Amino acid sequence: MVVKVFPSQDPLDQADFNAVEYINTLFPTEQSLANIDDVVNKIRLKIRRLDDNIRTVVRGQTNVGQDGRQALEEAQKAIQQLFGKIKDIKDKAEKSEQMVKEITRDIKQLDHAKRHLTTSITTLNHLHMLAGGVDSLEAMTRRRQYGEVANLLQGVMNVLEHFHKYMGIPQIRQLSERVKAAQTELGQQILADFEEAFPSQGTKRPGGPSNVLRDACLVANILDPRIKQEIIKKFIKQHLSEYLVLFQENQDVAWLDKIDRRYAWVKRQLVDYEEKYGRMFPREWCMTERISVEFCHVTRTELSKIMRARAKEIEVKLLLFAIQRTTNFEGFLAKRFSGCTLTDGTLKKLESPPPSTNPFLEDETTPEMEELALEKGELEQPKKPKAPDNPFHGIVSKCFEPHLYVYIESQDKNLSELIDRFVADFKAQGPPKPSTEDGGAVLPSCADLFVYYKKCLVQCSQLSTGEPMVALTTIFQKHLREYACKILSGNLPKTSSSSGGLTISSLLKEKEGSEVARFTLEELCLICSILSTAEYCLATTQQLEEKLKEKVDVSLTERINLTGEMDTFSTVISSSIQLLVQDLDAACDPALIAMSKMPWQNVEHVGDQSPYVTSVILHIKQNVPIIRDNLASTRKYFTQFCIKFANSFIPKFITHLFKCKPISMVGAEQLLLDTHSLKMVLLDLPSIGSQVVRKAPASYTKIVVKGMTRAEMILKVVMAPHEPLVVFVDNYIKLLTDCNSETFQKILDMKGLKRSEQSSMLELLRQRLPAPPSGTEGSSTLSLMAPTPEQESSRIRKLEKLIKKRL
């Protein structure tokens, strides 16, 4: 703390003072010791100065105690004097406060008196206004001065609100009751005036609107809302009384064929109302719209009644005519009115639907543009969302919904005729002409069918979104199945039996172009066209289902399901692909049978590929390009065709390979060469004969490589010497991953071994088939790597050179 108060740089004042270091600082070297006397003298001089300073300070403190006591006494006296002055100030402040209270007490009383007096004067003024207003109101009511009453009544009611807390006073309560009585009398009087002006009995009307009634409507706005509703109800009822007489159920103009006259009548009445009574009713009453809405309710009831009575006379054209005229009228109402008078129980205003990418969504395009889009398959293009439904939609046309079964039955009949026409046209025109330019176009009838479906859907959705939509969906399902059965499946070429087109002599021949029962070029194109049409129907049916669910009521969406119809088209696609595979497979059968009949034990040298390979390649080059070009628009189904053909041809080739017995070493080499040639052709199958070479799909390549490699491994086992037995068996297990006794038996038959030799080899195979331990596996690997006979090695090298030369 002293250091902070009196900072010093002297080493002697430091807290960590070290005498040795200080001396070393004074005498850093031996030569500096010569000045030791001077240093000592300086230190002694410093000590004497410090002593003098201490002595002076001590002497100066002798009188400090006395001075301190004197200063303390003076401070105490000053405090006492300050306390006395504060007390005096406090006493004076209390006296001043008391004086102010006495002065302001009278002022507060005057303020309260002023406020109460102001309230009293205001209340008395209001009371005077209320009393005078009630008297004037009663007098004006008797004189039917509704214009003045409208202004006065509102003012009286506003003034009366100020007296709610004074209702306990008899005079105020009496005035309030007089106001209520005046309101009741006004209501009854106004209703009587309207009844007199517009009598409910008879159709006679006054020449023009009355100013009294116009002012009465202003008063009715202030009275109980029930008065206003009663006036509106009676006026509209009287206004439509003529309509009920003119269009009675027994009148000729009441039937659907003259429904236009109903809407023409109400339009004339609206014009007449605007001319005669447009200024009588306040604009906010929306009387024109109310008349139109009530007309719609009455018309819907009357039409429902007459259609129930004459249901047998309703025809499709008549029904559609009536619905069209009715929806046009509803559209007219939507353009002219806002729908503000529609109650919640009448109709619900629908919100604008969110944007949709559904291809069936309506837009402003023409029917011709829609048909063109359907024919081109542009159903997946998003379109504009339709405009929000008008609030008057269905206000009249809902009465037609119970009778829409007539429309549904008509559409069923029309679709049946359309399907029959498609069948007749197909028979008359025959299958589509072979062409590779259109990539296997869909049948024209398909686009026609879905164009008609869309028209039906749009038309029905305008009529109803309830049960009729579900019924229409059932009709759609029925005729989609009929189309798939009669047009698609019914026109697929029929396949002959597997042996119907083959003879014993043709099976034994190996020459190219052996006659077999095959599809013609036109039939292949027809199958591809039916496949493309089925794919188009499948995609469009899915979109049709989405559109139906969008149009139908939310509560009925679960009943819209076209899965069964989509499965039907999928079945047509599978059948078409299977027919194409069977045709190409049957074309290759004679060549495979010829392969199994060849004397492979007599082959003396390995040459070019065998004639049966050339025959198979010829058939593939004939069929596959046609199928690929006609399925250009459906590449995925062409890939399925390739995969199914590979899955069918390769196992069959291996089966016939096992029938080639016995086989000599050279014969096995020739077969291995042929197998490799077929493998290369199959790998190139998707793009064979095409100017544009595409890489085959990985899934297809995997199937071909796996199947044909197995065939090559079988032949390599056949080529290997069967002695020593252990080496032969281990070689078989290594080359064939799916090795088993049955396959091993067939290989031994191909080698031409006797049964006695086969039994020992089969027994050895059974012993070595279970998974061996690591030591045995190593010895097996060593035995496989052991040198083979010189002749075997040279033959394999020659075969490899020959394959490379061909590639």
Side-chain angles (χ1 to χ4, degrees):
M1 296 297 293
V2 176
V3 175
K4 294 181 179 179
V5 179
F6 303 104
S8 175
Q9 300 298 329
D10 193 342
L12 296 174
D13 294 333
Q14 302 301 319
D16 56 348
F17 174 74
N18 191 325
V20 177
E21 291 181 359
Y22 184 68
I23 293 171
N24 289 334
T25 304
L26 295 176
F27 307 103
T29 62
E30 293 180 1
Q31 289 79 7
S32 62
L33 292 175
N35 300 326
I36 191 171
D37 293 335
D38 296 336
V39 175
V40 171
N41 290 333
K42 289 180 181 180
I43 293 176
R44 286 176 179 173
L45 179 61
K46 190 173 184 179
I47 292 172
R48 283 196 299 271
R49 289 178 179 175
L50 289 174
D51 290 339
D52 292 340
N53 291 336
I54 292 172
R55 190 181 301 112
T56 302
V57 172
V58 170
R59 289 175 180 175
Q61 293 296 320
T62 54
N63 298 327
V64 170
Q66 185 178 355
D67 296 339
R69 285 191 296 273
Q70 185 179 357
L72 180 61
E73 291 175 358
E74 293 177 355
Q76 289 176 348
K77 290 179 181 179
I79 291 172
Q80 290 178 355
Q81 292 176 359
L82 180 61
F83 180 75
K85 292 180 179 180
I86 292 174
K87 186 175 180 182
D88 291 341
I89 293 172
K90 181 179 179 183
D91 293 339
K92 291 179 180 180
E94 290 177 354
K95 291 178 181 180
S96 299
E97 183 180 359
Q98 186 65 27
M99 188 181 299
V100 171
K101 287 182 179 178
E102 292 177 358
I103 294 173
T104 58
R105 184 182 298 115
D106 295 337
I107 297 175
K108 287 183 179 180
Q109 290 178 354
L110 290 175
D111 288 341
H112 289 303
K114 179 182 177 181
R115 185 165 56 251
H116 293 324
L117 183 59
T118 303
T119 305
S120 300
I121 294 173
T122 303
T123 304
L124 287 174
N125 188 29
H126 287 167
L127 181 60
H128 176 72
M129 292 170 59
L130 180 61
V134 171
D135 293 338
S136 301
L137 183 63
E138 291 174 346
M140 292 176 182
T141 301
R142 287 192 295 271
R143 293 194 297 268
R144 284 180 167 77
Q145 296 176 347
Y146 295 128
E148 291 79 0
V149 168
N151 297 326
L152 180 60
L153 179 60
Q154 186 64 54
V156 169
M157 294 177 66
N158 293 337
V159 172
L160 189 60
E161 291 179 359
H162 296 282
F163 290 94
H164 281 324
K165 54 186 176 181
Y166 303 117
M167 286 301 171
I169 302 174
Q171 291 80 0
I172 302 299
R173 186 169 58 252
Q174 183 180 2
L175 287 174
S176 176
E177 291 174 355
R178 288 178 62 188
V179 172
K180 292 180 180 178
Q183 288 178 324
T184 303
E185 184 181 355
L186 274 172
Q188 295 175 353
Q189 187 171 297
I190 290 173
L191 290 177
D193 290 344
F194 270 93
E195 179 65 27
E196 182 181 353
F198 305 101
S200 56
Q201 301 296 329
T203 59
K204 184 179 180 181
R205 297 182 185 175
S210 169
N211 292 332
V212 175
L213 295 181
R214 181 184 61 194
D215 295 337
C217 292
L218 299 178
V219 177
N221 261 341
I222 306 172
L223 297 176
D224 190 334
R226 288 177 295 181
I227 302 298
K228 170 184 171 182
Q229 297 298 331
E230 187 67 21
I231 293 173
I232 294 173
K233 180 179 178 182
K234 286 186 176 182
F235 178 81
I236 295 177
K237 181 179 179 181
Q238 195 277 340
H239 210 69
L240 295 178
S241 58
E242 179 184 351
Y243 172 71
L244 293 174
V245 174
L246 291 176
F247 294 91
Q248 287 183 358
E249 185 177 349
N250 56 359
Q251 297 295 324
D252 183 57
V253 293
W255 188 228
L256 299 180
D257 59 344
K258 296 181 177 60
I259 197 169
D260 277 342
R261 298 189 181 184
R262 294 177 181 265
Y263 305 132
W265 181 90
V266 75
K267 290 177 182 179
R268 291 194 302 270
Q269 293 303 310
L270 294 178
V271 174
D272 180 66
Y273 167 83
E274 290 291 345
E275 293 177 352
K276 294 182 179 180
Y277 308 103
R279 297 182 180 181
M280 187 175 75
F281 294 99
R283 183 175 299 274
E284 62 270 16
W285 285 22
C286 303
M287 288 299 294
T288 309
E289 180 176 331
R290 292 180 185 275
I291 293 173
S292 302
V293 171
E294 183 62 24
F295 167 81
C296 292
H297 295 330
V298 172
T299 301
R300 186 177 66 214
T301 303
E302 293 297 319
L303 287 176
S304 299
K305 189 188 304 182
I306 192 173
M307 283 192 292
R308 282 196 301 270
R310 303 172 63 177
K312 295 182 179 180
E313 301 178 34
I314 300 177
E315 298 178 354
V316 178
K317 292 183 179 180
L318 180 62
L319 181 65
L320 293 180
F321 168 78
I323 293 175
Q324 181 184 3
R325 294 296 188 269
T326 302
T327 52
N328 290 343
F329 177 71
E330 293 171 348
F332 163 76
L333 295 180
K335 292 178 180 179
R336 184 167 180 182
F337 306 120
S338 63
C340 60
T341 62
L342 295 174
T343 59
D344 295 337
T346 304
L347 287 173
K348 296 182 179 179
K349 295 184 180 181
L350 301 179
E351 297 180 356
S352 174
S356 172
T357 58
N358 193 287
F360 280 88
L361 194 61
E362 296 93 336
D363 58 3
E364 300 300 326
T365 55
T366 62
E368 292 76 10
M369 294 174 64
E370 293 173 351
E371 294 182 12
L372 182 61
L374 283 167
E375 292 175 358
K376 291 184 177 180
E378 296 176 351
L379 292 177
E380 68 279 0
Q381 298 296 327
K383 297 183 179 180
K384 298 180 294 184
K386 67 176 182 179
D389 292 321
N390 72 73
F392 297 93
H393 177 68
I395 191 171
V396 179
S397 58
K398 200 170 185 64
C399 66
F400 298 108
E401 188 167 321
H403 305 277
L404 284 178
Y405 68 89
V406 177
Y407 169 77
I408 301 299
E409 292 174 355
S410 171
Q411 296 306 322
D412 185 17
K413 180 181 178 182
N414 293 342
L415 284 169
S416 297
E417 294 175 354
L418 187 64
I419 296 294
D420 293 340
R421 180 166 63 82
F422 289 161
V423 173
D425 291 346
F426 190 91
K427 291 180 179 179
Q429 298 173 3
K433 303 300 179 182
S435 175
T436 59
E437 296 179 358
D438 55 2
V442 299
L443 298 176
S445 59
C446 177
D448 295 340
L449 177 66
F450 282 101
V451 166
Y452 190 83
Y453 271 7
K454 181 174 181 180
K455 291 180 179 178
C456 293
L457 175 59
V458 172
Q459 193 174 47
C460 187
S461 64
Q462 294 174 349
L463 306 180
S464 171
T465 57
E467 288 293 338
M469 286 289 287
V470 179
L472 184 66
T473 302
T474 304
I475 300 301
F476 284 174
Q477 291 174 308
K478 170 186 174 183
H479 293 288
L480 283 173
R481 291 191 297 268
E482 285 188 1
Y483 185 84
C485 179
K486 295 181 179 180
I487 306 298
L488 301 181
S489 299
N491 288 308
L492 283 173
K494 302 298 185 291
T495 57
S496 59
S497 60
S498 57
S499 59
L502 303 177
T503 61
I504 298 298
S505 59
S506 67
L507 292 178
L508 295 177
K509 292 181 181 180
E510 188 187 318
K511 70 176 183 177
E512 298 179 6
S514 298
E515 294 295 332
V516 292
R518 295 185 56 194
F519 292 137
T520 63
L521 177 61
E522 290 78 9
E523 290 175 332
L524 288 177
C525 293
L526 174 61
I527 296 173
C528 293
S529 181
I530 290 176
L531 192 154
S532 299
T533 304
E535 185 206 18
Y536 177 89
C537 292
L538 176 62
T540 314
T541 301
Q542 183 178 0
Q543 296 167 356
L544 176 63
E545 181 185 38
E546 294 173 0
K547 187 59 184 178
L548 285 167
K549 289 183 177 180
E550 179 187 338
K551 290 291 187 181
V552 78
D553 292 340
V554 178
S555 59
L556 301 175
T557 51
E558 295 183 356
R559 296 173 60 182
I560 306 296
N561 188 355
L562 302 183
T563 305
E565 289 64 39
M566 288 187 276
D567 292 342
T568 301
F569 290 118
S570 298
T571 303
V572 174
I573 293 173
S574 299
S575 300
S576 301
I577 294 176
Q578 191 61 35
L579 283 176
L580 296 174
V581 171
Q582 289 177 358
D583 179 64
L584 183 55
D585 211 13
C588 297
D589 278 346
L592 296 180
I593 294 174
M595 176 190 75
S596 63
K597 299 297 182 179
M598 286 182 62
W600 293 103
Q601 73 276 15
N602 298 330
V603 178
E604 298 179 354
H605 62 276
V606 178
D608 202 354
Q609 64 185 23
S610 301
Y612 75 89
V613 176
T614 305
S615 177
V616 170
I617 294 175
L618 177 63
H619 291 307
I620 290 176
K621 288 184 176 181
Q622 287 176 349
N623 278 34
V624 173
I626 298 173
I627 297 172
R628 181 183 60 243
D629 293 340
N630 281 276
L631 296 182
S633 59
T634 56
R635 293 289 302 177
K636 63 178 180 179
Y637 293 117
F638 175 68
T639 302
Q640 288 187 20
F641 159 75
C642 295
I643 291 175
K644 287 189 176 183
F645 174 72
N647 284 328
S648 173
F649 175 79
I650 295 176
K652 186 179 292 186
F653 173 74
I654 294 176
T655 301
H656 284 83
L657 196 64
F658 284 130
K659 296 179 180 179
C660 299
K661 54 185 180 182
I663 302 177
S664 64
M665 188 65 66
V666 179
E669 293 176 0
Q670 180 64 47
L671 274 175
L672 185 60
L673 175 64
D674 296 340
T675 301
H676 186 77
S677 299
L678 287 175
K679 179 180 179 181
M680 293 297 102
V681 171
L682 290 176
L683 288 175
D684 191 44
L685 180 70
S687 59
I688 193 168
S690 175
Q691 297 179 354
V692 180
V693 179
R694 295 182 179 179
K695 184 178 179 181
S699 57
Y700 170 76
T701 303
K702 182 178 179 181
I703 293 172
V704 173
V705 170
K706 182 179 179 181
M708 296 305 291
T709 301
R710 183 172 185 270
E712 291 175 342
M713 295 302 104
I714 291 173
L715 292 172
K716 287 185 180 180
V717 175
V718 173
M719 291 168 57
H722 59 279
E723 292 181 353
L725 298 181
V726 175
V727 175
F728 179 75
V729 172
D730 289 342
N731 194 28
Y732 167 73
I733 295 174
K734 176 185 177 182
L735 293 178
L736 293 176
T737 56
D738 57 343
C739 54
N740 54 58
S741 301
E742 183 180 356
T743 304
F744 190 63
Q745 176 79 52
K746 294 178 180 178
I747 291 175
L748 296 181
D749 290 339
M750 293 173 69
K751 291 179 69 66
L753 297 179
K754 299 179 180 179
R755 292 295 179 180
S756 58
E757 295 176 320
Q758 293 182 13
S759 59
S760 59
M761 300 179 74
L762 288 171
E763 184 62 29
L764 180 60
L765 174 67
R766 294 189 187 97
Q767 295 175 3
R768 303 187 70 83
L769 269 182
S774 57
T776 307
E777 185 178 355
S779 62
S780 174
T781 304
L782 291 175
S783 64
L784 289 172
M785 295 176 63
T788 57
E790 184 176 355
Q791 182 180 8
E792 172 65 17
S793 177
S794 63
R795 287 182 174 178
I796 292 178
R797 284 197 297 270
K798 290 180 181 179
L799 181 60
E800 290 177 349
K801 289 180 181 179
L802 184 58
I803 292 175
K804 289 179 181 180
K805 182 178 179 181
R806 285 188 50 77
L807 291 176

